[in-house]
Amino acid sequence: MVFEKYQKVAIVTGANSGVGFGICQRLLESQGESLTLIMACRNPARANKAKELLLNQFPFANIDIELVDVGCTKSVLSFSAAIINKYPHVNYLFCNAGILSACGLNWKTLIYLVFTDPVGLMERSDSTIQNVGEINEDGMGKVFAANVFGHYIMMRELEKLLSNSGDGRVVWTSSITAYNKSFNIDDWQGIKSKEPYESSKWACDLIAIVSGERFQREENHIASFTTSPGVVASEIGALPVWVCKVRFLVHYLFRFCGVASQNVTAYNGAIADVYAALEPLSRLSFLSRYNSLTNRWGKAYVGAKAIPGYDRVTAEKLVEKCELAYQAFKKNSDLNFTTAPAN
């Protein structure tokens, strides 16, 4: 492998659709041929289709596809090992892939919010009925594993490569819906929570801040930031098609009325992620969440806001739990590898 060809390397999880695809577009726009874009995706067919769309828009692009299921620890560890073997450094790690596991709409709540809090209805998922108690094959909370823990493992495994870049950035895609009341450290994986998505996104905020503090303390040339794409009309949540189409039109109406969180398109929703990756560190703070916003005429911009209700003690406890779980899974993976029968 000739490492000299790599100038800047970016990893985007969930790159084949939604905000992940928007991040890819904005990165290729700003970085050009100097960037090697790694699309970290689960589905090879969707990944290749997305790559083709990007190459049609950016014929000069250097794009690699690396398959990974962020909700599976074995897959993430395998992915990370492949990255370490292929690339000399990583400049940007976008922890973007995620799931919202829903089973329908609470029409009573939806109608109530239409009359009492229409902006909240369009910004939050209060009327979405989320699945409770889902566990993945690793025995972890399904939503937490995909939205948080898989990315935590990836960040930890790739720290050396991030540091090698001289200015590594880890950018966590949180959510406008994330708030401290949705999270309980005694249920840190959100298994019992009625809002596992919001709980997981608040966990992203906590981990981003604690990691940013650690990176700064250790002076290891990595920074960590949290962002929100605002409201994007994506397929997350697996809602009926007609609901998505109606919602799409309502988003535009609310934006025209001045609700800046209604970014609607993934391209607009991705502006905060790329901003956190490319802006000089002197202009950024890991204590803020960077929000994608759009004015009524469709121009996207970034707004920074302190994370309301941030509790360092809770955040450090969460990272400690994630670290212990990460080390346990890694040890088990190493044991399985060393004891595997020869072919």
Side-chain angles (χ1 to χ4, degrees):
M1 177 65 67
V2 180
F3 282 160
E4 287 74 8
K5 72 176 182 178
Y6 297 111
Q7 296 181 46
K8 291 188 176 181
V9 177
I11 298 173
V12 183
T13 66
N16 60 274
S17 63
V19 174
F21 189 81
I23 292 171
C24 294
Q25 290 177 304
R26 287 189 174 274
L27 282 175
L28 292 171
E29 273 183 349
S30 62
Q31 301 298 291
E33 296 180 37
S34 67
L35 179 76
T36 294
L37 174 64
I38 302 172
M39 301 177 70
C41 305
R42 183 178 58 178
N43 186 299
R46 293 179 181 178
N48 280 299
K49 183 178 179 180
K51 178 180 177 179
E52 183 179 344
L53 291 173
L54 288 171
L55 288 173
N56 287 337
Q57 187 176 0
F58 307 99
F60 58 80
N62 302 309
I63 303 176
D64 294 337
I65 293 175
E66 294 287 345
L67 298 180
V68 62
D69 179 355
V70 292
C72 171
T73 56
K74 183 178 179 180
S75 178
V76 175
L77 288 168
S78 178
F79 166 86
S80 300
I83 296 298
I84 291 169
N85 287 332
K86 293 180 182 179
Y87 305 94
H89 59 262
V90 172
N91 298 78
Y92 317 116
L93 172 59
F94 291 91
C95 301
N96 167 78
I99 59 172
L100 191 164
S101 183
C103 55
L105 291 173
N106 185 324
W107 289 100
K108 182 178 179 179
T109 301
L110 188 151
I111 294 170
Y112 175 77
L113 291 174
V114 165
F115 295 101
T116 61
D117 187 10
V119 174
L121 172 64
M122 298 308 297
E123 289 186 337
R124 303 189 303 269
S125 57
D126 295 1
S127 60
T128 301
I129 303 173
Q130 298 183 45
N131 291 312
V132 177
E134 290 187 312
I135 305 291
N136 71 358
E137 293 182 359
D138 291 324
M140 299 198 75
K142 180 180 177 181
V143 175
F144 180 86
N147 295 2
V148 186
F149 189 61
H151 290 116
Y152 181 83
I153 292 176
M154 197 177 294
M155 177 184 71
R156 292 288 286 117
E157 288 287 290
L158 300 179
E159 276 189 27
K160 187 176 188 303
L161 295 192
L162 286 160
S163 182
N164 287 348
S165 72
D167 181 18
R169 306 285 178 96
V170 182
V171 182
W172 293 78
T173 301
S174 180
S175 172
I176 192 174
T177 67
Y179 56 101
N180 63 338
K181 290 184 180 179
S182 67
F183 182 83
N184 183 347
I185 191 62
D186 294 326
D187 180 33
W188 57 286
Q189 298 177 33
I191 297 172
K192 299 177 182 179
S193 174
K194 292 183 179 180
E195 300 176 318
Y197 178 78
E198 286 79 1
S199 175
S200 73
K201 289 303 180 179
W202 183 253
C204 287
D205 288 335
L206 299 184
I207 291 174
I209 295 175
V210 171
S211 298
E213 291 176 333
R214 177 171 67 85
F215 293 146
Q216 188 178 72
R217 186 170 61 250
E218 294 176 355
E219 299 181 350
N220 60 1
H221 310 297
I222 310 174
S224 172
F225 301 103
T226 182
T227 66
S228 166
V231 180
V232 173
S234 68
E235 298 177 356
I236 192 169
L239 297 174
V241 174
W242 72 268
V243 172
C244 293
K245 289 184 176 180
V246 171
R247 187 181 68 175
F248 189 80
L249 295 174
V250 176
H251 286 321
Y252 275 112
L253 175 62
F254 272 65
R255 189 170 80 187
F256 187 75
C257 292
V259 183
S261 62
Q262 308 298 294
N263 295 303
V264 187
T265 68
Y267 179 79
N268 280 5
I271 190 172
D273 289 81
V274 177
Y275 177 89
L278 302 183
E279 280 295 297
L281 286 177
S282 59
R283 299 180 60 179
L284 297 171
S285 169
F286 55 77
L287 294 173
S288 295
R289 183 193 294 152
Y290 291 90
N291 302 290
S292 297
L293 302 166
T294 303
N295 68 19
R296 68 183 64 201
W297 311 116
K299 182 176 177 56
Y301 62 99
V302 178
K305 188 175 182 180
I307 310 249
Y310 171 69
D311 176 19
R312 175 176 281 124
V313 174
T314 299
E316 290 177 345
K317 286 182 180 178
L318 173 62
V319 170
E320 181 181 2
K321 290 177 181 294
C322 287
E323 182 65 19
L324 288 172
Y326 158 60
Q327 295 295 345
F329 278 112
K330 184 172 174 62
K331 181 179 180 181
N332 185 58
S333 176
D334 292 340
L335 287 173
N336 287 339
F337 177 79
T338 56
T339 58
N343 291 326

